[in-house]
Amino acid sequence: MEKVRVLFATILSFIVGTAQAEYLQFNTTAQTSEIYLKTALSFEGSKLPSRHLHLGVKQANIDSHITELANHGIEIHLPSLEQMQLSASLPYLKVNNTTSVDGLHFLAVPDIAEFPLAVKAQSKHSVFHLSNFALLVPVQALDGALAITSVWDPNYSAANMTLQLAHLNSVAENNYVLNTLCEITLPQKVGVSLFKHTSQGHLKQLAVSHNCIN
């Protein structure tokens, strides 16, 4: 299957004709992916415009969805099976939910995992299966890496978004904990963009500027 590489000219932005659209790709494995679009688009076979697209797990569905997204100017790619195998032995991770917001609980580890993970937000804590990370580097790099988490409801607009900056630490073989450093509040558009377009260095700058770390 042809995999089209994402080209970002600006943070989470691309141009479709004269209109600007924004999207976030997450829960991406070698077989499937989910995409949220800020502006609903009409897709072949759907009666109503959609803001959420699941590529599905059948090869034909994935191929047709990627082609149709490309027709809308949205170029995505899926990781290779070899890339996914790097995280195959990773366990699940419980992450506390410190907000009352409904929606999706996101977890991203920039420079280490290529795409963020998202699960339905639970009242106390959410469970992430780290084996679904599309790792860019060997698994050992997760230990001590900076991560961001947030609960976000893409179906509702809000001026601001609260994010948790944290360290992901290994406490035993194949056992990780997330140690929260602090919470920061950013404009929602900026907050969402961090889950796709940031780096370990940028997260460290954020942590220092908000007095999370020295």
Side-chain angles (χ1 to χ4, degrees), residues 49-180:
S50 176
R51 296 180 62 225
H52 175 243
L53 184 65
H54 196 295
L55 297 193
V57 294
K58 294 182 179 179
Q59 186 73 43
N61 289 345
I62 295 172
D63 290 344
S64 62
H65 281 148
I66 288 179
T67 299
E68 189 169 4
L69 285 167
N71 291 336
H72 285 275
I74 306 169
E75 297 184 341
I76 71 163
H77 78 282
L78 302 181
S80 65
L81 286 172
E82 290 79 8
Q83 185 179 351
M84 294 302 304
Q85 287 172 351
L86 290 174
S87 63
S89 64
L90 288 175
Y92 66 84
L93 176 72
K94 289 184 178 181
V95 178
N96 292 333
N97 181 2
T98 61
T99 73
S100 58
V101 177
D102 293 326
L104 296 174
H105 201 163
F106 278 83
L107 168 68
V109 188
D111 295 338
I112 312 297
E114 187 169 6
F115 302 97
L117 300 180
V119 297
K120 181 175 175 56
Q122 303 297 316
S123 58
K124 292 184 178 180
H125 60 255
S126 302
V127 178
F128 292 90
H129 291 275
L130 300 184
S131 58
N132 289 327
F133 265 147
L135 293 183
L136 297 166
V137 293
V139 66
Q140 291 81 5
L142 280 172
D143 188 21
L146 286 167
I148 51 172
T149 68
S150 184
V151 176
W152 173 54
D153 189 342
N155 295 308
Y156 294 94
S157 297
N160 296 319
M161 184 177 189
T162 300
L163 301 97
Q164 292 76 42
L165 293 177
H167 270 133
L168 188 62
N169 296 116
S170 174
V171 293
E173 186 176 0
N174 287 334
N175 190 8
Y176 291 82
V177 296
L178 200 66
N179 295 311
T180 301

Side-chain angles (χ1 to χ4, degrees), residues 146 165 167 181 198-214:
L146 286 167
L165 293 177
H167 270 133
L181 298 171
T198 191
S199 64
Q200 288 290 308
H202 186 203
L203 288 190
K204 185 174 182 179
Q205 290 176 359
L206 276 177
V208 171
S209 66
H210 286 82
N211 297 317
C212 304
I213 58 178
N214 296 324

